[in-house]
């Protein structure tokens, strides 16, 4: 799984992501962006394209494999 | 500390503890590692979950387009931390440099970052708050429970409080075809954050989308049935709303109680810190090893007369955390101030609402582009003859321009002619913010005076 967050302060609704990865990014109304906060590994390449194409670089995607250092009450 | 090697030692083998494992905590941890901190890093969080993103919880999740447990924040780099999750911090010993945890454990630190954020204000009457079907929305678990209940197709949903969260919830429920009543104590939705002129547009949007919006009323009591499920709400105008679900959206409370008695300058308004995120103690002396960032922090902002500014904004949490982290492992001369212009967004009823600056500080508003009746416009807020904030309804691309006006303290009303001539007028009008002495939902931006523990302190615009 790949995690996704969009800095919607930056986002200006150019919708490049919605063209490149419509399964993940859609416009909701005229310019509000709705995105899936998580995507399949298979969509990683597409997601990278969408992130790269964003004119304001608002899309944040996992840069490291997290499960390795996830969480628990480990001391 | 200058030149004696202690900073290098801290970076090599020091102990940094971050209390608060949400957006601010995670971004700070990433920055610490990115800037070469090699010592031990401990992340303490009261929720049992790894850091997750909250904005989708009131939007995608309630629309049924994402699962509440699938909103974990992307990791921008490895943080190699020890995670203590599901264990809230309960105390701070500043002299010994230790954080006390709910399980009795104590964690020593050389540098501490406090990013404990806020929590939802609960319905004040405990017995009513515990009725089945009464919710707040702040955490992942809140959102999951609420989404599950919306899935069951309730006959009616009541939202108490029409701030941003309440309005987004109402919007999502209407989009799912659910009957929704919104009860707001103020004169209009969003009135605390954006004033009555823009609030009237928000009210129009709600009604056009079929929300049964009731302003100027309070919910006086929630009533349950014999099995303990909520069945009705009684309003101050004498009316009753029959409902299966009540969502209490009455704003947030800062998580500072665990610092009571510690000597740190922490109170209901947050933790006072300097522009470099170093926390003050109760004597007003800045500490050198304790930092604060995110919703729980309040710090002087040069754009707003160095008044203490506290923000419940996503962007602020991310950027303030990075600055705090940088400053924690820097010589004093290398430290940087946090002076970003506040900004936030909300989407509701199909409209993208974005804002820069501090509209709630404004006394006047000018609709500089578009028209209120189209629900597509820019409102510029003026305060003492300068531009202090701006809000855009479906006009986000213009905001950087207005941000620059705010950053350069441009004159208000702005001297440029409006870009399109369909404007609602060239003259500013009273922004119509509620009288601060009348209780309503507050803005998510607060400006205050000096004493961090002073409970009498309220946000007082210069009307």
């Amino acid at each position: 799984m790949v995690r996704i967050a969009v800095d919607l302060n930056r986002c200006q609704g150019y919708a490049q992501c919605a063209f490149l990865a419509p399964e993940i990014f859609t416009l909701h109304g005229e310019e509000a962006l709705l995105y899936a906060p998580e995507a399949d590994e298979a969509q990683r390449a597409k997601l990278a394209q969408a992130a790269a194409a964003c004119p304001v670089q608002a899309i944040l995607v996992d840069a490291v494999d997290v499960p390795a250092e996830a969480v628990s009450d480990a001391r | 500390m200058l030149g004696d090697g202690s900073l290098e030692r801290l970076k090599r083998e020091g102990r940094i503890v971050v209390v608060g494992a949400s957006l601010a905590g995670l971004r700070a941890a990433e920055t610490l590692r990115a800037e070469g901190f090699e010592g031990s890093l401990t992340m303490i969080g009261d929720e049992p979950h790894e850091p997750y993103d909250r904005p989708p919880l009131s939007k995608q999740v309630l629309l049924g387009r994402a699962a509440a447990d699938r909103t974990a924040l992307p990791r921008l780099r490895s943080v190699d931390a020890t995670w203590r999750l599901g264990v809230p911090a309960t105390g701070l010993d500043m002299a010994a440099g230790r954080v006390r945890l709910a399980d009795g454990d104590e964690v020593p630190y050389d540098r501490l970052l406090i990013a404990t954020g806020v929590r939802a204000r609960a319905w004040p009457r405990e017995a009513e708050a515990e009725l089945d079907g009464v919710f707040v929305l702040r955490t992942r678990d809140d959102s999951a429970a609420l989404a599950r209940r919306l899935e069951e197709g309730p006959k009616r949903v009541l939202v108490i409080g029409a701030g941003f969260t309440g309005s987004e919830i109402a919007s999502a429920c209407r989009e799912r075809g659910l009957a929704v009543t919104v009860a707001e104590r103020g004169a209009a939705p969003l009135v605390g954050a954006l004033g009555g002129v823009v609030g009237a547009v928000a009210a129009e949007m709600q009604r056009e989308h079929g929300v049964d919006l009731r302003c100027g009323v309070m919910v006086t009591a929630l009533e349950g049935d014999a099995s303990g499920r909520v069945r009705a709400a009684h309003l101050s105008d004498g009316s009753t709303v029959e409902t299966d679900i009540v969502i209490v959206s009455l704003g947030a409370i800062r998580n500072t109680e665990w610092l009571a008695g510690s000597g740190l300058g922490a109170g209901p308004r947050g933790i006072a810190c300097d522009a470099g995120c170093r926390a003050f103690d109760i004597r007003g002396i800045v500490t050198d090893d304790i930092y604060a960032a995110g919703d729980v922090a309040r710090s002087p902002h040069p754009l707003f007369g160095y008044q203490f500014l506290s923000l419940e904004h996503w962007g602020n949490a991310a950027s303030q955390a990075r600055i705090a982290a940088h400053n924690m492992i820097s010589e004093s001369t290398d430290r940087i101030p946090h002076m970003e212009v506040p900004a936030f967004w909300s989407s509701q009823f199909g409209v993208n609402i974005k804002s820069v600056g501090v509209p709630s500080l404004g006394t006047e508003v000018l609709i500089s582009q578009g028209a209120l009746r189209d629900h597509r416009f820019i409102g510029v807020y003026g305060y003492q003859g300068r531009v202090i904030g701006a809000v855009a309804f479906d006009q986000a691309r213009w905001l950087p321009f207005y941000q620059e006006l705010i950053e350069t303290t441009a004159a208000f009303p702005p001297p440029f002619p409006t870009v399109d001539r369909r404007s609602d007028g060239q003259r500013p009008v009273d922004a119509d913010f509620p009288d601060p002495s009348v209780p309503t939902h507050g803005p998510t931006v607060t400006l205050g005076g000096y004493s961090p523990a002073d409970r009498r302190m309220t946000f007082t615009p210069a009307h």
Side-chain angles (χ1 to χ4, degrees):
Chain A
M1 285 297 184
V2 193
R3 301 128 186 259
I4 304 152
V6 180
D7 182 343
L8 289 169
N9 281 328
R10 278 173 176 256
C11 175
Q12 298 191 5
Y14 287 103
Q16 298 303 301
C17 55
F19 292 117
L20 287 163
E23 307 83 355
I24 300 167
F25 304 98
T26 50
L27 280 190
H28 199 57
E30 299 264 314
E31 63 172 49
L33 184 73
L34 266 192
Y35 59 92
E38 202 178 76
D40 289 339
E41 201 57 45
Q43 290 176 300
R44 192 183 277 272
K46 230 182 199 186
L47 193 52
Q49 266 188 324
C54 176
V56 289
Q57 293 292 290
I59 300 172
L60 305 171
V61 179
D62 266 335
V64 289
D65 197 18
V66 211
E69 66 166 63
V71 271
S72 76
D73 197 11
R75 302 195 176 181
Chain B
M1 188 153 109
L2 276 170
D4 65 356
S6 59
L7 182 65
E8 285 316 308
R9 209 158 44 243
L10 171 78
K11 287 178 77 167
R12 208 169 50 242
E13 57 199 37
R15 301 159 302 178
I16 293 185
V17 173
V18 177
V19 184
S22 191
L23 175 62
L26 177 62
R27 290 293 175 258
E30 288 167 347
T31 304
L32 286 167
R33 292 304 189 199
E35 296 201 6
F37 175 66
E38 295 168 354
S40 81
L41 182 56
T42 305
M43 306 289 293
I44 297 166
D46 61 342
E47 292 180 65
H49 314 300
E50 63 178 303
Y52 60 85
D53 210 20
R54 293 183 201 280
L57 299 181
S58 58
K59 305 175 186 77
Q60 292 96 312
V61 173
L62 296 189
L63 287 171
R65 298 199 187 185
D69 59 356
R70 301 271 177 189
T71 65
L73 281 162
R75 301 295 185 85
L76 307 183
R77 60 166 295 125
S78 165
V79 296
D80 186 23
T82 302
W83 296 84
R84 303 291 308 269
L85 299 176
V87 192
T90 53
L92 168 65
D93 185 338
M94 288 171 64
R98 302 173 82 87
V99 173
R100 207 161 41 248
L101 303 187
D103 63 4
D105 214 358
E106 296 202 347
V107 186
Y109 64 82
D110 298 307
R111 292 277 186 284
L112 172 66
L113 175 66
I114 302 175
T116 43
V118 302
R119 64 181 182 278
R121 187 185 301 277
W123 184 244
R125 300 182 186 198
E126 225 169 284
E128 295 177 8
E130 281 169 12
L131 287 171
D132 184 25
V134 177
F135 294 89
V136 294
L137 178 53
R138 174 76 195 166
T139 67
R140 178 178 133 170
D141 294 347
D142 294 338
S143 180
L146 178 57
R148 214 175 305 124
R149 197 56 81 81
L150 295 181
E151 205 62 56
E152 293 169 9
K155 284 199 278 299
R156 179 167 293 276
V157 175
L158 171 67
V159 180
I160 306 177
F164 284 104
T165 305
S167 300
E168 287 178 5
I169 294 167
S171 170
C173 289
R174 283 305 301 142
E175 202 166 327
R176 298 182 67 141
L178 301 171
V180 180
T181 298
V182 172
E184 163 59 41
R185 185 149 55 173
L190 315 184
V191 70
L194 299 175
V197 174
V198 175
V201 177
E204 225 171 77
M205 280 161 44
Q206 296 216 1
R207 293 197 168 111
E208 277 177 13
H209 283 82
V211 173
D212 167 30
L213 173 67
R214 313 205 189 169
C215 296
V217 295
M218 287 186 292
V219 174
T220 52
L222 301 176
E223 187 190 319
D225 62 16
S227 61
R229 266 187 99 127
V230 70
R231 60 164 294 274
H234 300 283
L235 274 50
S236 56
D237 62 1
S239 62
T240 299
V241 177
E242 290 193 15
T243 180
D244 311 302
I245 294 184
V246 173
I247 303 151
V248 178
S249 298
L250 294 173
I253 296 174
R254 293 185 160 72
N255 290 320
T256 55
E257 292 83 352
W258 68 282
L259 295 163
S262 66
L264 199 68
R269 291 279 167 193
I271 300 169
C273 56
D274 72 4
C277 308
R278 291 183 301 176
F280 285 105
D281 69 16
I282 52 169
R283 304 167 301 171
I285 296 176
V286 76
T287 60
D288 208 32
D289 51 355
I290 303 177
Y291 291 70
D295 293 359
V296 78
R298 49 194 297 270
S299 61
H301 200 299
L303 269 179
F304 307 103
Y306 288 95
Q307 287 189 83
F308 278 67
L309 189 62
S310 65
L311 301 164
E312 295 170 42
H313 295 166
W314 190 96
N316 181 67
S319 64
Q320 194 173 20
R322 286 195 190 99
I323 287 167
H326 167 88
N327 290 346
M328 286 171 91
I329 52 171
S330 296
E331 300 285 5
S332 60
T333 46
D334 296 330
R335 289 184 184 141
I336 47 181
H338 173 60
M339 43 186 208
E340 206 174 72
V341 175
F344 70 86
W345 75 86
S346 169
S347 61
Q348 46 186 276
F349 305 104
V351 173
N352 190 32
I353 303 175
K354 292 180 78 169
S355 162
V356 290
V358 183
S360 55
L361 195 59
T363 51
E364 294 177 291
V365 65
L366 169 75
I367 306 306
S368 61
Q369 294 176 235
L372 293 170
R373 63 178 173 277
D374 296 340
H375 305 169
R376 187 182 172 85
F377 62 90
I378 297 228
V380 190
Y381 291 83
Y383 170 70
Q384 297 184 345
R386 53 178 277 221
V387 176
I388 201 81
V391 66
F393 277 46
D394 271 352
Q395 292 271 16
R397 260 171 247 179
W398 282 98
L399 275 186
F401 168 69
Y402 290 93
Q403 180 170 333
E404 200 179 311
L405 295 183
I406 297 164
E407 281 169 337
T408 54
T409 63
F412 182 90
F416 55 90
T418 54
V419 179
D420 59 23
R421 303 293 168 127
R422 284 190 312 105
S423 163
D424 276 18
Q426 313 291 316
R427 280 181 306 116
V429 296
D430 187 326
D432 191 23
F433 279 98
D435 181 338
S437 66
V438 176
T440 178
H441 70 265
T444 53
V445 183
T446 319
L447 280 166
Y450 174 69
S451 167
D454 188 349
R455 285 167 186 275
R456 289 167 306 166
M457 196 169 53
T458 48
F459 167 64
T460 317
H463 280 248

